[in-house]
Amino acid sequence: MTKTGNGFELVVGMEIHVELKTKSKMFCGCKNDPFRAPKPNIYTCPVCLGMPGGLPVPNKKAVEWTIMLGLALGCRINKLSKFDRKNYFYPDLPKGYQISQYDQPFCTDGSVMTPEGPVGITRVHLEEDTGKLLHTDIDGKRVTLIDYNRSGVPLVEIVTEPDIRSAEQARSFLKKLHQIIQYLDISEADMEKGTMRLEPNISLRTAGSDKLPGYKVEVKNINSFSFVVKAIEYESARQVKILKQGGIPDQETRGFIESQGVTKTQRRKETADDYRYFPEPDIPPFFLDDEFVSSVRAMIPEMPDEKLTRFVSQYGLTEYDARILTETRAKADFFEKAVAIGGVSSKAIANRMINRKIDVLGTQPAEFVNALRKESQKTAVPTETYEAVITEVINSNPKAVEDYRAGKQTALMFLLGQARRKNGSLDPREVIAGLKKKLG
Amino acid sequence: MTLNTLTLNEALKKLAKKEFSLTELYRDIDHAVRTMNPELNVYLSINKEAKKQAADADGPLGGLPLAVKDNFLTRGMPTTASSNVLWGFLPPYESTVTERLRKSGGVIYGKTNMDAWAHGSSTETSDFGPTKNPRNTGYLPGGSSGGSAAAVAADMCIAAIGSETAGSIRQPASWCGVVGLKPTYGRVSRAGIVAMGSSLDSPGPIGKTVEDCALLFGLIAGADPYDATTGDMPVPDLTAVQHAGVKGMKIGIVYMDHPHIRGTDVDKAVKQAGKVFASLGAHVEEVPLSEKLEEGKILTPDYAIGVYTVVQRAEVSSNLARYDGVRYGRDRSYFGEEAKRRIMLGTFTLSKGYADKYYIRAQQVRSLYIKNFHDLFGRYDILISTPTPGYALPLGASAGSPMFGELQDMMVEPSSLAGLPGISVPVYRNPSTNLYLGLNIMADQWQEEKMIRAASAFEQNTDWNPWLKKGHV
């Protein structure tokens, strides 16, 4: 468990919003493509404009995808779920309320594993996005324009438990979550565009305490994982200073200022917001039976962890290589397509993909394999070369040889590195086998 | 005889036989509207294209003129819900109900006055002045669909469309001496209707006869992809079953021992109706009133006032939030007193710390009423009662009484909270005032067939419907 080094411990929970890339919007038939829209307010209708008489009709795909994400995050799917109205006024919210989920979200109680430990998922729920405000000058007048192309786009909110104990763990968690979403192929999950939005809640407590701190600071406007790390580090330092002076940081919302790497007060939260939630009367509740949940579960593709294990066992890859190749579905698919073409070893394919950072979206697997095949024929290394290089490495590194014989496995890796430095086309497996043979 | 006094079914039959032309019928309607609208204030706007649309109309409604409550969105025709906030609003789309009527050959002749935002039971809270009761112009027509009921009563249309949250079709139908049908919640689409109490709103027909309502019901009912709360169960053909009679039906009379009703003309008229049904072969009995949920008894409607008020105001406060003046209509400063009161009360009952006490509690009591009706419809095919405690009240009666509507509608609030259908048919006319009372016939959810059979049997076997009286037409 990471301490701040000052007798305090970080307590971080995250709220993540992800726009789903369904064809149509959450509650109407309008096109869901706000970022590529050629003009503002073209993907709109009475429903997403909040006209009188417009009624929301839920998008079945969005509901399925939300449940799919919940299942992938190890959540329990609630048999009875419903939408609620979250009432508040803002010009980008045409109905004066957002259709969201309050006390019966689709998914609850999941968990995501990070190298630093598990992060609990409190809930995954579905809601609608708002329009977008644009503050600008027209004819010298300061005006605010509203674009409703984004109004009513399906938005999933993922809320974690306050289980994150370091900035690095926040990064690991987010990378993992991003990878899962990307594997499920349900969102562009692009932080620059805002299709994935990150809001850490950051506070500190005395190290060793298991009580939740009496305050939390929410940080908004963060559009990359590195900025989450920076924001947490900055907040941690800022809050330590206040706590050390005997103060308690204000419960507030702060904005992250990218250019300075600092956070600044946006809005103080002296009282809790009152959104006057009540069940959305325009949408009947959902009864999700086991059969439905199973059918959604069946739609989940092979997830990163399963794929990694399979790559190691099926293709004889190292865990390190398999991890890189399963980073994205596109990479993994490219690898498997290339292997299926045949003629080159899976290891050679993996090596080339990793070392040359192949652009898997812009390259044809067949071309890639052909090129690799031709090259390997040209550069096939004769057995004598292996012999010569291995002998030379052993002779010129007596210390490493001694270490290896004393039982230090890392010394073998050092020798392999020396051999590969002399001749890059050597197959590492051959080199290791040769070294082991020579060294007995 | 003028053609505007024809019922929908009569007009269709005579049109088919070419006894007159649509032009002649529209001439008579126009005349009635021209002479009576200035005093009655039934129509807020008239469709100038009506005659042209009638000539082009194709479908079972044969181009006949219909009056539509002004909370139904009509493309390119003003839609205000009788509120100054929506003054000047020209909807860019059409409500599902009016769309279906148009496709069935119906013509929207004009849009009728109502309580602003449907908040009321008098049509006096309209921002555009009250509508008067055509049966006696010193009296209220009821509401909120008062304009539509008055348009039918005054023969200023052939039939009309209204909407009811609790009482807004049946109470004005009762006071104006016409027939009003409130379908099961979810039977008729709410898409394109200015929302009031979203979990209660039920659009439905107001007509001169049961048969007319049965025909219109079939044309507007049924699942709608634009309203997720509509049910996809098949729509019964009420016109086919309406004459099946009540022989063998089990009928319960409810609420007649309520202190507001006992001993009044309402009590007498409803019990008399019970005798009519008995004479036609039904098993009729009175269902005792109960202060608490008891099997075989009807739970007092007294609690429903509170439940209904809380649920409906909560929904209203949220539904009216969109009228911010940014996209259409005028800004919030144009809201009338009643709308402001409802927004405040609804906001209060949903607020943190109060929601448990009011909104959630109200929903719990609502479920008691649902249970009560579930039990009773296991015992009876239909329940008969009154839509409202008495006759139409004089003009001005609603002023200064924020609970006016709730008191007028208390007899239908329990069934509306349970989503049940009901139909009001004339059951008595007071000869000295010319004011009517209605008989409210209620059925279980999706059981409109049963209530239409009873309504039709009553209408055919009594002399209370003014259009069916011997010698009429």
Side-chain angles (χ1 to χ4, degrees):
Chain A
M1 209 169 273
T2 316
K3 311 281 192 299
T4 59
N6 294 291
F8 294 106
E9 181 180 64
L10 259 174
V11 179
V12 176
M14 303 273 315
E15 267 175 43
I16 302 105
H17 284 93
V18 180
E19 270 183 11
L20 297 179
K21 58 174 191 181
T22 48
K23 284 198 184 76
S24 56
K25 289 186 180 181
M26 187 59 229
F27 296 115
C28 60
C30 287
K31 193 170 179 183
N32 170 17
D33 197 15
F35 297 101
R36 274 174 287 266
K39 277 199 290 187
N41 296 310
I42 53 167
Y43 302 144
T44 58
C45 73
V47 175
C48 57
L49 283 176
M51 299 286 275
L55 296 175
V57 178
N59 181 330
K60 198 173 163 230
K61 193 98 233 161
V63 173
E64 281 174 6
W65 282 3
T66 305
I67 290 166
M68 197 159 84
L69 176 59
L71 289 170
L73 298 176
C75 288
R76 195 161 48 79
I77 307 305
N78 290 318
K79 284 202 157 53
L80 177 63
S81 188
K82 65 179 168 71
F83 282 103
D84 298 276
R85 289 190 186 177
K86 180 179 180 179
N87 296 284
Y88 68 95
F89 286 106
Y90 208 68
D92 63 9
L93 189 68
K95 298 189 296 297
Y97 57 86
Q98 179 191 33
I99 303 176
S100 180
Q101 294 194 283
Y102 180 49
D103 53 355
Q104 285 165 287
F106 284 123
C107 326
T108 47
D109 299 330
S111 176
V112 169
M113 199 51 171
T114 69
E116 297 86 354
V119 176
I121 302 293
T122 315
R123 55 187 283 155
V124 178
H125 79 239
L126 184 53
E127 58 190 28
E128 57 177 338
D129 212 341
T130 62
K132 212 167 183 174
L133 298 183
L134 180 69
H135 306 286
T136 184
D137 287 315
I138 291 182
D139 299 332
K141 254 175 78 181
R142 200 78 188 126
V143 295
T144 300
L145 305 174
I146 314 178
D147 178 6
Y148 291 107
N149 281 342
R150 201 183 67 178
S151 171
V153 164
L155 193 63
V156 167
E157 182 175 320
I158 302 144
V159 182
T160 80
E161 291 292 300
D163 287 347
I164 297 168
R165 295 285 170 270
S166 68
E168 269 318 305
Q169 189 182 9
R171 189 208 296 273
S172 316
F173 166 75
L174 289 170
K175 277 180 83 171
K176 189 73 178 272
L177 177 67
H178 185 262
Q179 189 188 35
I180 290 169
I181 291 166
Q182 184 259 340
Y183 258 66
L184 294 174
D185 201 23
I186 56 175
S187 170
E188 292 184 9
D190 183 329
M191 277 147 292
E192 290 273 323
K193 278 187 188 160
T195 49
M196 183 169 183
R197 296 168 223 156
L198 319 166
E199 286 156 26
N201 284 300
I202 306 162
S203 48
L204 296 175
R205 68 181 169 201
T206 313
S209 160
D210 55 2
K211 272 197 231 144
L212 282 182
Y215 71 96
K216 63 183 178 186
V217 175
E218 187 179 341
V219 183
K220 290 190 185 252
N221 301 344
I222 303 182
N223 63 4
S224 82
F225 296 156
S226 318
F227 290 144
V228 170
V229 171
K230 274 197 184 147
I232 294 175
E233 282 168 350
Y234 178 83
E235 266 306 302
S236 170
R238 186 184 73 84
Q239 293 178 21
V240 163
K241 213 188 255 173
I242 297 169
L243 289 163
K244 283 210 145 180
Q245 287 166 357
I248 295 171
D250 286 329
Q251 172 113 344
E252 61 179 344
T253 300
R254 297 174 73 89
F256 182 69
I257 317 290
E258 223 173 276
S259 54
Q260 304 163 46
V262 302
T263 67
K264 286 203 171 139
T265 298
Q266 272 188 343
R267 189 159 61 100
R268 289 216 200 279
K269 281 189 175 174
E270 274 148 13
T271 51
D273 294 313
D274 188 352
Y275 292 115
R276 307 189 310 278
Y277 282 101
F278 73 100
E280 168 57 277
D282 290 331
I283 305 173
F286 292 78
F287 298 97
L288 305 170
D289 56 17
D290 293 343
E291 197 186 336
F292 174 76
V293 174
S294 309
S295 73
V296 175
R297 198 186 292 277
M299 286 159 45
I300 299 179
E302 187 180 32
M303 295 309 282
D305 288 350
E306 299 164 65
K307 210 183 268 289
L308 188 148
T309 312
R310 182 169 64 83
F311 274 26
V312 170
S313 64
Q314 185 175 342
Y315 302 111
L317 301 180
T318 61
E319 198 182 314
Y320 176 82
D321 286 357
R323 191 173 297 281
I324 295 174
L325 290 177
T326 56
E327 261 169 11
T328 67
R329 235 169 105 172
K331 254 190 212 175
D333 289 350
F334 184 94
F335 171 75
E336 295 210 278
K337 271 184 202 148
V339 171
I341 291 165
V344 191
S345 77
S346 45
K347 181 64 197 168
I349 291 167
N351 282 344
R352 174 58 57 98
M353 281 180 67
I354 293 166
N355 296 337
R356 299 270 172 94
K357 292 203 167 106
I358 299 300
D359 167 21
V360 293
L361 296 176
T363 313
Q364 285 299 319
E367 275 171 42
F368 169 84
V369 170
N370 278 338
L372 196 57
R373 197 185 288 152
K374 267 187 213 150
E375 225 174 282
S376 66
Q377 279 161 357
K378 233 188 312 177
T379 61
V381 182
T383 324
E384 305 87 78
T385 313
Y386 277 99
E387 283 287 320
V389 172
I390 288 168
T391 310
E392 198 189 333
V393 166
I394 289 175
N395 290 339
S396 52
N397 294 287
K399 173 83 172 73
V401 169
E402 199 180 306
D403 286 350
Y404 174 73
R405 287 194 168 128
K408 252 185 154 177
Q409 285 300 310
T410 46
L412 195 65
M413 290 299 128
F414 172 78
L415 293 171
L416 168 65
Q418 295 302 311
R420 300 250 298 163
R421 194 178 285 178
K422 286 186 193 301
N423 188 333
S425 8
L426 298 182
D427 182 339
R429 275 181 296 191
E430 292 287 319
V431 177
I432 287 178
L435 281 166
K436 279 185 174 167
K437 212 168 122 196
K438 284 245 170 197
L439 298 171
Chain B
M1 179 211 105
T2 54
L3 299 171
N4 56 307
T5 62
L6 293 172
T7 70
L8 174 58
N9 279 281
E10 283 168 349
L12 287 172
K13 274 186 210 121
K14 288 173 189 285
L15 261 183
K17 283 192 248 163
K18 297 199 163 58
E19 289 185 22
F20 57 83
S21 71
L22 274 175
T23 314
E24 290 170 288
L25 183 136
Y26 273 84
R27 187 198 57 209
D28 286 354
I29 292 275
D30 285 346
H31 178 74
V33 172
R34 233 187 349 263
T35 51
M36 288 186 277
N37 203 48
E39 187 187 1
L40 297 178
N41 195 29
V42 162
Y43 285 109
L44 297 178
S45 58
I46 301 281
N47 178 10
K48 292 190 181 69
E49 306 287 309
K51 266 152 279 184
K52 199 182 153 291
Q53 288 168 6
D56 297 339
D58 186 18
L61 292 175
L64 291 174
L66 306 171
V68 174
K69 191 178 180 181
D70 203 33
N71 57 347
F72 288 73
L73 271 69
T74 40
R75 192 186 294 109
M77 283 172 68
T79 300
T80 65
S82 283
S83 169
N84 265 321
V85 173
L86 284 176
W87 178 256
F89 171 55
L90 284 180
Y93 77 109
E94 187 83 22
S95 78
T96 296
V97 167
T98 49
E99 180 78 27
R100 288 182 179 179
L101 289 173
R102 287 183 201 266
K103 285 202 173 131
S104 306
V107 171
I108 316 300
Y109 182 83
K111 304 291 290 292
T112 59
N113 201 13
M114 55 187 281
D115 286 290
W117 304 107
H119 297 170
S121 306
S122 65
T123 312
E124 274 194 303
T125 67
S126 165
D127 285 352
F128 311 120
T131 293
K132 291 177 186 168
N133 191 324
R135 304 291 181 196
N136 183 333
T137 53
Y139 287 81
L140 295 169
S144 63
S145 310
S148 284
V152 173
D155 290 311
M156 290 161 76
C157 62
I158 294 298
I161 294 291
S163 66
E164 168 164 333
T165 301
S168 278
I169 285 176
R170 286 172 286 174
Q171 184 251 14
S174 162
W175 282 9
C176 291
V178 302
V179 180
L181 190 162
K182 181 238 182 246
T184 305
Y185 176 80
R187 178 71 94 179
V188 179
S189 170
R190 295 178 294 118
I193 300 173
V194 177
M196 204 265 263
S198 308
S199 70
L200 300 149
D201 291 344
S202 308
I206 298 176
K208 296 175 183 178
T209 63
V210 173
E211 194 179 17
D212 289 359
C213 288
L215 174 62
L216 287 170
F217 171 89
L219 300 175
I220 61 176
D224 178 15
Y226 295 102
D227 179 354
T229 60
T230 52
D232 54 7
M233 40 285 288
V235 178
D237 182 355
L238 299 188
T239 60
V241 300
Q242 60 185 332
H243 299 307
V246 294
K247 201 164 180 202
M249 252 192 194
K250 286 186 202 134
I251 301 179
I253 302 178
V254 294
Y255 304 142
M256 290 306 110
D257 44 353
H258 189 276
H260 288 9
I261 307 291
R262 201 186 301 132
T264 64
D265 282 4
V266 169
D267 184 6
K268 285 177 218 154
V270 172
K271 282 182 184 154
Q272 184 55 39
K275 286 185 188 141
V276 172
F277 287 125
S279 74
L280 295 170
H283 307 287
V284 185
E285 62 184 44
E286 283 189 56
V287 183
L289 193 68
S290 176
E291 297 290 312
K292 57 181 199 296
L293 189 61
E294 279 180 277
E295 285 192 6
K297 294 186 180 177
I298 183 96
L299 185 58
T300 175
D302 295 358
Y303 314 130
I305 299 177
V307 174
Y308 174 81
T309 303
V310 168
V311 170
Q312 188 245 60
R313 302 303 195 266
E315 291 175 359
V316 162
S317 71
S318 175
N319 285 336
L320 292 183
R322 67 185 62 193
Y323 301 101
D324 52 12
V326 173
R327 282 140 296 144
Y328 44 81
R330 292 156 149 182
D331 68 47
R332 293 168 200 171
S333 63
Y334 289 87
F335 273 119
E337 288 304 309
E338 181 59 21
K340 285 185 199 165
R341 261 197 298 270
R342 293 193 184 203
I343 292 168
M344 283 189 286
L345 185 54
T347 303
F348 173 73
T349 57
L350 287 174
S351 296
K352 231 176 222 167
Y354 296 97
D356 284 349
K357 224 156 123 191
Y358 298 108
Y359 184 77
I360 294 171
R361 186 106 182 104
Q363 293 291 14
Q364 287 163 344
V365 181
R366 184 180 193 172
S367 69
L368 293 185
Y369 279 112
I370 294 170
K371 263 190 209 149
N372 185 217
F373 283 113
H374 186 74
D375 168 49
L376 291 177
F377 283 113
R379 298 161 192 270
Y380 304 101
D381 293 302
I382 53 169
L383 297 175
I384 62 170
S385 186
T386 178
T388 182
Y391 293 107
L393 294 169
L395 290 175
S398 77
S401 171
M403 293 304 283
F404 178 83
E406 272 47 77
L407 293 169
Q408 291 312 316
D409 296 332
M410 66 182 293
M411 298 297 158
V412 294
E413 281 169 351
S415 62
S416 291
L417 287 166
L420 306 183
I423 183 167
S424 177
V425 293
V427 71
Y428 182 68
R429 183 181 75 91
N430 184 312
S432 59
T433 58
N434 196 38
L435 292 173
Y436 282 78
L437 291 176
L439 175 71
N440 178 29
I441 305 170
M442 296 173 280
D444 203 356
Q445 277 192 308
W446 316 109
Q447 300 294 315
E448 287 92 347
E449 287 149 291
K450 288 180 181 169
M451 71 185 200
I452 212 83
R453 280 168 53 192
S456 182
F458 185 78
E459 188 178 76
Q460 297 294 326
N461 289 284
T462 60
D463 218 12
W464 297 117
N465 186 313
W467 286 276
L468 297 180
K469 272 187 182 168
K470 289 184 189 79
H472 174 73
V473 181

